Amino acid sequence: MLSQAIQDYLKTIYKLEEDGTVSTTAIAKELNISGASVTGMLKRLASMKLVDYNSYKGVRLTNEGRKIALEIIRHHRLLELYLREALGFPLEKIHDEACRLEHVVSKDFLQKIEEILGNPEYDPHGHPIPSKDGDIEISNEKPLVNFRNGDVVIVKRLSDHDPQMLSYFEKMKILPSTIIRIVDKAPFNGPITVFFNGESQIIGNEISKNIFVELYEEEKED
């Protein structure tokens, strides 16, 4: 049984790998610990053949390390969905609760959750849930800020790194599957006027970078 610390490292490296090889500095910042502590753990993970580590080039997960990371992410995202759908937790609180539970729940418990939830494919933020075999859907959505005036888009996922931002999304009812029309983008990285749920709203440029969308299907067919 791998320790919680090892599992957290593998999960963190997996998430940071989207930008390529992961640096010690990036891991230290993400986990809020010292660079020396990270270096020590990476050497340990390399000896366990869970990562490929070079002090100058950074670190990447091995196939075995990636498999374990995806299993933990699967636990986390299923728990988030259960906390949200079955227990009514608000979006901004499910991440921390799931972090506390993901290392201790049994496979039988997770299987029961999966059955209750109807074998879901996405967590409450719209992130794909890895399969039992370690497969995961590749996300191709783009930030709302990348789209143009007049575009009609559908929200696919929300950035989940900031609880306060998640609280804002929930208050504004900007959630996965929300259909949004871009009315006007102010110049020089100004706010964006959008129309959704029957009314116009103004959202900040920074907020729009954390809402990941794709063109709405009707728009694609035009």
Side-chain angles (χ1 to χ4, degrees):
M1 180 67 179
L2 297 176
S3 69
Q4 178 175 332
I6 289 176
Q7 293 177 13
D8 284 340
Y9 266 87
L10 296 176
K11 182 176 71 171
T12 298
I13 294 169
Y14 176 85
K15 291 182 176 180
L16 294 173
E17 272 188 344
E18 292 181 357
D19 298 323
T21 302
V22 182
S23 69
T24 300
T25 302
I27 298 171
K29 181 179 180 181
E30 185 73 16
L31 295 176
N32 195 28
I33 55 180
S34 71
S37 296
V38 172
T39 298
M41 177 60 86
L42 294 181
K43 290 179 179 179
R44 181 182 176 191
L45 295 177
S47 71
M48 298 169 69
K49 302 188 184 306
L50 297 177
V51 302
D52 292 322
Y53 172 59
N54 182 297
S55 58
Y56 298 103
K57 297 181 180 179
V59 62
R60 293 191 71 91
L61 295 174
T62 62
N63 288 337
E64 182 61 23
R66 186 176 187 273
K67 177 181 177 182
I68 295 169
L70 283 170
E71 180 65 20
I72 299 303
I73 290 170
R74 173 179 164 79
H75 291 189
H76 184 91
R77 292 179 178 175
L78 280 171
L79 285 164
E80 283 189 327
L81 191 60
Y82 183 73
L83 289 165
R84 173 74 170 171
E85 297 295 329
L87 301 182
F89 274 65
L91 275 185
E92 71 268 22
K93 291 187 176 181
I94 58 176
H95 175 76
D96 287 346
E97 289 292 338
C99 282
R100 284 188 277 269
L101 294 169
E102 65 190 25
H103 305 286
V104 297
V105 293
S106 68
K107 289 185 178 180
D108 288 343
F109 184 83
L110 283 169
Q111 183 175 342
K112 179 57 67 175
I113 285 178
E114 194 169 22
E115 291 173 1
I116 290 172
L117 296 174
N119 301 308
E121 297 181 1
Y122 303 96
D123 75 4
H125 310 104
H127 298 98
I129 298 173
S131 71
K132 294 178 182 178
D133 297 326
D135 297 322
I136 187 168
E137 177 184 311
I138 302 299
S139 299
N140 297 312
E141 306 88 15
K142 297 179 181 179
L144 179 65
V145 71
N146 289 13
F147 289 79
R148 301 173 297 178
N149 290 349
D151 282 345
V152 179
V153 299
I154 183 168
V155 178
K156 302 299 291 185
R157 60 186 174 92
L158 303 169
S159 176
D160 61 356
H161 69 277
D162 186 336
Q164 290 184 329
M165 189 177 294
L166 286 171
S167 179
Y168 173 82
F169 288 146
E170 188 156 35
K171 180 180 179 181
M172 295 288 288
K173 297 183 179 178
I174 301 174
L175 301 169
S177 298
T178 300
I179 297 170
I180 296 174
R181 179 165 58 86
I182 300 174
V183 178
D184 182 62
K185 295 175 67 176
F188 308 111
N189 297 322
I192 299 176
T193 303
V194 294
F195 184 86
F196 66 97
N197 294 337
E199 59 183 343
S200 294
Q201 299 282 356
I202 297 176
I203 59 177
N205 183 274
E206 191 62 32
I207 289 289
S208 69
K209 294 177 181 177
N210 290 274
I211 303 170
F212 294 87
V213 305
E214 63 180 28
L215 287 173
Y216 185 48
E217 192 64 33
E218 291 183 3
E219 190 77 1
K220 289 181 181 178
E221 295 173 355
D222 290 344

PDB file of all heavy atoms in Angstrom, residues 7-21:
ATOM      1  N   GLN A   7       1.107   8.974  -3.103  1.00  0.00           N
ATOM      2  CA  GLN A   7      -0.060   9.110  -3.966  1.00  0.00           C
ATOM      3  C   GLN A   7      -0.293  10.571  -4.356  1.00  0.00           C
ATOM      4  O   GLN A   7      -0.599  10.874  -5.520  1.00  0.00           O
ATOM      5  CB  GLN A   7      -1.291   8.538  -3.257  1.00  0.00           C
ATOM      6  CG  GLN A   7      -1.245   7.033  -3.054  1.00  0.00           C
ATOM      7  CD  GLN A   7      -2.446   6.512  -2.292  1.00  0.00           C
ATOM      8  OE1 GLN A   7      -3.430   7.207  -2.104  1.00  0.00           O
ATOM      9  NE2 GLN A   7      -2.369   5.274  -1.840  1.00  0.00           N
ATOM     10  N   ASP A   8      -0.111  11.473  -3.394  1.00  0.00           N
ATOM     11  CA  ASP A   8      -0.299  12.900  -3.679  1.00  0.00           C
ATOM     12  C   ASP A   8       0.740  13.401  -4.683  1.00  0.00           C
ATOM     13  O   ASP A   8       0.419  14.207  -5.569  1.00  0.00           O
ATOM     14  CB  ASP A   8      -0.216  13.718  -2.396  1.00  0.00           C
ATOM     15  CG  ASP A   8      -1.472  13.605  -1.544  1.00  0.00           C
ATOM     16  OD1 ASP A   8      -2.530  13.228  -2.088  1.00  0.00           O
ATOM     17  OD2 ASP A   8      -1.398  13.902  -0.336  1.00  0.00           O
ATOM     18  N   TYR A   9       1.964  12.944  -4.548  1.00  0.00           N
ATOM     19  CA  TYR A   9       3.004  13.337  -5.495  1.00  0.00           C
ATOM     20  C   TYR A   9       2.669  12.859  -6.901  1.00  0.00           C
ATOM     21  O   TYR A   9       2.766  13.624  -7.872  1.00  0.00           O
ATOM     22  CB  TYR A   9       4.358  12.762  -5.080  1.00  0.00           C
ATOM     23  CG  TYR A   9       5.192  13.705  -4.250  1.00  0.00           C
ATOM     24  CD1 TYR A   9       5.047  13.753  -2.867  1.00  0.00           C
ATOM     25  CD2 TYR A   9       6.143  14.531  -4.833  1.00  0.00           C
ATOM     26  CE1 TYR A   9       5.813  14.607  -2.085  1.00  0.00           C
ATOM     27  CE2 TYR A   9       6.916  15.384  -4.068  1.00  0.00           C
ATOM     28  CZ  TYR A   9       6.750  15.421  -2.697  1.00  0.00           C
ATOM     29  OH  TYR A   9       7.516  16.282  -1.937  1.00  0.00           O
ATOM     30  N   LEU A  10       2.276  11.610  -7.026  1.00  0.00           N
ATOM     31  CA  LEU A  10       1.976  11.061  -8.349  1.00  0.00           C
ATOM     32  C   LEU A  10       0.799  11.794  -8.987  1.00  0.00           C
ATOM     33  O   LEU A  10       0.825  12.112 -10.188  1.00  0.00           O
ATOM     34  CB  LEU A  10       1.686   9.561  -8.245  1.00  0.00           C
ATOM     35  CG  LEU A  10       2.851   8.688  -7.772  1.00  0.00           C
ATOM     36  CD1 LEU A  10       2.405   7.242  -7.626  1.00  0.00           C
ATOM     37  CD2 LEU A  10       4.034   8.777  -8.731  1.00  0.00           C
ATOM     38  N   LYS A  11      -0.213  12.085  -8.205  1.00  0.00           N
ATOM     39  CA  LYS A  11      -1.382  12.812  -8.714  1.00  0.00           C
ATOM     40  C   LYS A  11      -0.983  14.215  -9.150  1.00  0.00           C
ATOM     41  O   LYS A  11      -1.408  14.693 -10.217  1.00  0.00           O
ATOM     42  CB  LYS A  11      -2.466  12.872  -7.639  1.00  0.00           C
ATOM     43  CG  LYS A  11      -3.747  13.558  -8.095  1.00  0.00           C
ATOM     44  CD  LYS A  11      -4.815  13.501  -7.015  1.00  0.00           C
ATOM     45  CE  LYS A  11      -4.488  14.396  -5.846  1.00  0.00           C
ATOM     46  NZ  LYS A  11      -5.622  14.519  -4.889  1.00  0.00           N
ATOM     47  N   THR A  12      -0.150  14.861  -8.367  1.00  0.00           N
ATOM     48  CA  THR A  12       0.293  16.219  -8.694  1.00  0.00           C
ATOM     49  C   THR A  12       1.130  16.240  -9.969  1.00  0.00           C
ATOM     50  O   THR A  12       0.938  17.102 -10.841  1.00  0.00           O
ATOM     51  CB  THR A  12       1.106  16.800  -7.524  1.00  0.00           C
ATOM     52  OG1 THR A  12       0.265  16.887  -6.372  1.00  0.00           O
ATOM     53  CG2 THR A  12       1.633  18.186  -7.866  1.00  0.00           C
ATOM     54  N   ILE A  13       2.048  15.304 -10.098  1.00  0.00           N
ATOM     55  CA  ILE A  13       2.890  15.238 -11.297  1.00  0.00           C
ATOM     56  C   ILE A  13       2.026  15.002 -12.527  1.00  0.00           C
ATOM     57  O   ILE A  13       2.234  15.620 -13.573  1.00  0.00           O
ATOM     58  CB  ILE A  13       3.960  14.140 -11.155  1.00  0.00           C
ATOM     59  CG1 ILE A  13       4.941  14.502 -10.035  1.00  0.00           C
ATOM     60  CG2 ILE A  13       4.719  13.953 -12.476  1.00  0.00           C
ATOM     61  CD1 ILE A  13       5.864  13.361  -9.637  1.00  0.00           C
ATOM     62  N   TYR A  14       1.044  14.124 -12.402  1.00  0.00           N
ATOM     63  CA  TYR A  14       0.153  13.859 -13.536  1.00  0.00           C
ATOM     64  C   TYR A  14      -0.536  15.141 -13.995  1.00  0.00           C
ATOM     65  O   TYR A  14      -0.596  15.439 -15.192  1.00  0.00           O
ATOM     66  CB  TYR A  14      -0.891  12.808 -13.164  1.00  0.00           C
ATOM     67  CG  TYR A  14      -1.901  12.575 -14.269  1.00  0.00           C
ATOM     68  CD1 TYR A  14      -1.629  11.677 -15.307  1.00  0.00           C
ATOM     69  CD2 TYR A  14      -3.107  13.279 -14.299  1.00  0.00           C
ATOM     70  CE1 TYR A  14      -2.529  11.487 -16.326  1.00  0.00           C
ATOM     71  CE2 TYR A  14      -4.009  13.089 -15.327  1.00  0.00           C
ATOM     72  CZ  TYR A  14      -3.722  12.186 -16.336  1.00  0.00           C
ATOM     73  OH  TYR A  14      -4.616  12.014 -17.370  1.00  0.00           O
ATOM     74  N   LYS A  15      -1.054  15.909 -13.059  1.00  0.00           N
ATOM     75  CA  LYS A  15      -1.771  17.134 -13.418  1.00  0.00           C
ATOM     76  C   LYS A  15      -0.842  18.164 -14.043  1.00  0.00           C
ATOM     77  O   LYS A  15      -1.234  18.889 -14.970  1.00  0.00           O
ATOM     78  CB  LYS A  15      -2.456  17.713 -12.180  1.00  0.00           C
ATOM     79  CG  LYS A  15      -3.627  16.873 -11.673  1.00  0.00           C
ATOM     80  CD  LYS A  15      -4.293  17.518 -10.478  1.00  0.00           C
ATOM     81  CE  LYS A  15      -5.513  16.718 -10.035  1.00  0.00           C
ATOM     82  NZ  LYS A  15      -6.186  17.337  -8.868  1.00  0.00           N
ATOM     83  N   LEU A  16       0.395  18.229 -13.553  1.00  0.00           N
ATOM     84  CA  LEU A  16       1.340  19.216 -14.070  1.00  0.00           C
ATOM     85  C   LEU A  16       1.961  18.797 -15.399  1.00  0.00           C
ATOM     86  O   LEU A  16       2.506  19.637 -16.119  1.00  0.00           O
ATOM     87  CB  LEU A  16       2.449  19.467 -13.042  1.00  0.00           C
ATOM     88  CG  LEU A  16       2.017  20.137 -11.732  1.00  0.00           C
ATOM     89  CD1 LEU A  16       3.178  20.166 -10.739  1.00  0.00           C
ATOM     90  CD2 LEU A  16       1.512  21.551 -11.990  1.00  0.00           C
ATOM     91  N   GLU A  17       1.866  17.520 -15.727  1.00  0.00           N
ATOM     92  CA  GLU A  17       2.477  17.026 -16.964  1.00  0.00           C
ATOM     93  C   GLU A  17       1.803  17.560 -18.226  1.00  0.00           C
ATOM     94  O   GLU A  17       2.341  17.415 -19.316  1.00  0.00           O
ATOM     95  CB  GLU A  17       2.452  15.492 -17.014  1.00  0.00           C
ATOM     96  CG  GLU A  17       3.650  14.845 -16.377  1.00  0.00           C
ATOM     97  CD  GLU A  17       3.688  13.341 -16.614  1.00  0.00           C
ATOM     98  OE1 GLU A  17       2.649  12.767 -17.013  1.00  0.00           O
ATOM     99  OE2 GLU A  17       4.740  12.743 -16.394  1.00  0.00           O
ATOM    100  N   GLU A  18       0.640  18.171 -18.089  1.00  0.00           N
ATOM    101  CA  GLU A  18      -0.039  18.749 -19.252  1.00  0.00           C
ATOM    102  C   GLU A  18       0.849  19.776 -19.949  1.00  0.00           C
ATOM    103  O   GLU A  18       0.732  19.993 -21.152  1.00  0.00           O
ATOM    104  CB  GLU A  18      -1.357  19.410 -18.818  1.00  0.00           C
ATOM    105  CG  GLU A  18      -2.409  18.420 -18.350  1.00  0.00           C
ATOM    106  CD  GLU A  18      -3.699  19.112 -17.952  1.00  0.00           C
ATOM    107  OE1 GLU A  18      -3.731  20.358 -17.993  1.00  0.00           O
ATOM    108  OE2 GLU A  18      -4.666  18.416 -17.606  1.00  0.00           O
ATOM    109  N   ASP A  19       1.746  20.390 -19.187  1.00  0.00           N
ATOM    110  CA  ASP A  19       2.639  21.410 -19.746  1.00  0.00           C
ATOM    111  C   ASP A  19       4.014  20.842 -20.095  1.00  0.00           C
ATOM    112  O   ASP A  19       4.949  21.590 -20.350  1.00  0.00           O
ATOM    113  CB  ASP A  19       2.807  22.563 -18.748  1.00  0.00           C
ATOM    114  CG  ASP A  19       1.483  23.253 -18.454  1.00  0.00           C
ATOM    115  OD1 ASP A  19       0.675  23.387 -19.390  1.00  0.00           O
ATOM    116  OD2 ASP A  19       1.256  23.643 -17.296  1.00  0.00           O
ATOM    117  N   GLY A  20       4.157  19.507 -20.093  1.00  0.00           N
ATOM    118  CA  GLY A  20       5.426  18.883 -20.427  1.00  0.00           C
ATOM    119  C   GLY A  20       6.113  18.331 -19.184  1.00  0.00           C
ATOM    120  O   GLY A  20       5.480  18.070 -18.161  1.00  0.00           O
ATOM    121  N   THR A  21       7.434  18.139 -19.269  1.00  0.00           N
ATOM    122  CA  THR A  21       8.192  17.640 -18.132  1.00  0.00           C
ATOM    123  C   THR A  21       8.030  18.577 -16.944  1.00  0.00           C
ATOM    124  O   THR A  21       8.071  19.791 -17.074  1.00  0.00           O
ATOM    125  CB  THR A  21       9.687  17.520 -18.492  1.00  0.00           C
ATOM    126  OG1 THR A  21       9.829  16.648 -19.605  1.00  0.00           O
ATOM    127  CG2 THR A  21      10.474  16.956 -17.323  1.00  0.00           C
TER     128      THR A  21
END
